[in-house]
Amino acid sequence: METWQNIYSHFNVVAFEILGFKIHWYGIMYVIALLLALVLAKFFVKKFKINISNSMLDNYFIWVEIGVVLGARIGYILIYDSNTLWYLSHPWQIFNPYENGEFIGIRGMSFHGAIVGFLLATFLFCKKYKQNAWQYLDLVALSVPLAYVFGRIGNFLNQELFGRVTNAAWGIYVDNALRHPSQLYEAFLEGIVVFFVVILVKTRQKFTGELIIVYACAYSLARFICEFFREPDFGIGFVAFGLSMGQILSLVMFIIALLFYAYLKFKNKF
């Protein structure tokens, strides 16, 4: 257990270097997550006989990936970063992977910002190619959760988004303080548990769009719970009623999802 608790002291966040460029474990996990999501999407298209061609799906994932990266980074700058005004006056620095001449990659991503970017990309894609947006969103609800597990493992390996101080035997030391490995809690609840919830609903799905709404609700609840074990964002802390920014945004996401559920359910009755 001692080895586990001190894992960060003998683990390098950099996996290897290529021509002076440091390749971080986080980046590797991100690529694995992206590829897994695409593989799972193609699997579910065949399994459930969804009317989406292979070429259209590949094209969609390119649009979505661009939307997710833009939304996640810009969302982080607007919501969490303490240098928001500086970035807004120097927008070319938002995606600058260098710091003091050293390549460090792009750090600081917001999941809720990624959701906004993802939804905008989906809407624009479906409008351009005249596709059913709800059908694509349901497919995403099936294929993303398990891939998301690797994203959270990436956070853990990158020694970021760590948990609150704890006395639990499975805690890990971060700056000499024993903390919850909250990234792994999130990988399990927000990834694996949410996946099984979506799959269960798929077996009795009543209307198109139901899966993505269930995913949004399940993720919001899982994230809300995990935030009790995760250290509040630096510079923000607890926003209101002892809740973190992540919890506030999750509640907003949950309420919006419920409103959409009521709308679609009512719409499909007539």
Side-chain angles (χ1 to χ4, degrees):
M1 189 61 72
E2 183 179 350
T3 300
W4 166 254
Q5 291 180 335
N6 292 279
I7 186 172
Y8 280 172
S9 64
H10 51 76
F11 182 83
N12 194 341
V13 297
V14 178
F16 54 87
E17 291 189 27
I18 299 180
L19 301 177
F21 289 94
K22 296 179 180 179
I23 308 301
H24 291 70
W25 284 106
Y26 176 79
I28 294 174
M29 291 297 106
Y30 185 88
V31 171
I32 291 175
L34 174 62
L35 294 177
L36 179 59
L38 181 57
V39 169
L40 288 173
K42 292 185 176 184
F43 169 77
F44 287 123
V45 163
K46 292 181 180 179
K47 178 177 178 59
F48 297 117
K49 299 178 180 178
I50 301 173
N51 186 28
I52 298 176
S53 69
N54 202 50
S55 59
M56 192 65 74
L57 185 59
D58 289 336
N59 194 14
Y60 172 64
F61 261 74
I62 293 175
W63 279 63
V64 165
E65 182 59 20
I66 294 174
V68 165
V69 172
L70 289 175
R73 182 59 180 152
I74 294 174
Y76 180 86
I77 294 297
L78 295 177
I79 301 172
Y80 298 107
D81 202 286
S82 58
N83 299 307
T84 300
L85 294 179
W86 185 83
Y87 276 111
L88 291 179
S89 61
H90 300 77
W92 59 89
Q93 293 290 343
I94 293 177
F95 292 95
N96 182 8
Y98 289 90
E99 184 176 293
N100 298 323
E102 181 182 358
F103 180 82
I104 62 171
I106 299 174
R107 297 179 179 179
M109 298 288 186
S110 163
F111 175 84
H112 295 94
I115 288 293
V116 174
F118 154 72
L119 291 175
L120 285 175
T122 298
F123 172 77
L124 293 173
F125 173 86
C126 291
K127 184 175 182 180
K128 176 178 175 62
Y129 294 103
K130 297 178 173 59
Q131 299 290 301
N132 184 336
W134 290 110
Q135 185 179 50
Y136 278 82
L137 291 174
D138 277 351
L139 179 59
V140 167
L142 288 168
S143 56
V144 162
L146 290 182
Y148 185 77
V149 172
F150 288 91
R152 285 308 186 194
I153 291 176
N155 292 142
F156 177 76
L157 297 179
N158 207 41
Q159 302 182 21
E160 60 185 3
L161 308 183
F162 47 80
R164 301 184 190 183
V165 174
T166 181
N167 291 320
W170 57 86
I172 56 174
Y173 282 105
V174 179
D175 296 330
N176 297 318
L178 195 64
R179 296 179 177 274
H180 284 287
S182 58
Q183 313 96 320
L184 302 184
Y185 300 171
E186 292 189 74
F188 177 70
L189 283 180
E190 299 168 10
I192 296 173
V193 172
V194 169
F195 171 73
F196 282 108
V197 170
V198 173
I199 284 293
L200 178 62
V201 174
K202 176 61 180 175
T203 62
R204 57 192 73 181
Q205 185 176 4
K206 297 180 178 63
F207 55 86
T208 304
E210 185 176 15
L211 297 187
I212 189 62
I213 293 174
V214 168
Y215 169 75
C217 288
Y219 173 85
S220 297
L221 290 176
R223 174 67 180 268
F224 186 85
I225 293 171
C226 288
E227 285 281 333
F228 283 112
F229 302 95
R230 175 173 160 175
E231 185 72 13
D233 298 281
F234 179 76
I236 296 180
F238 297 105
V239 179
F241 307 107
L243 301 178
S244 67
M245 178 62 78
Q247 288 175 310
I248 297 295
L249 294 176
S250 293
L251 286 176
V252 172
M253 181 176 169
F254 183 79
I255 293 171
I256 292 175
L258 286 182
L259 292 175
F260 269 108
Y261 186 86
Y263 165 74
L264 287 179
K265 191 170 183 180
F266 177 79
K267 179 182 178 181
N268 282 275
K269 280 186 176 180
F270 300 96

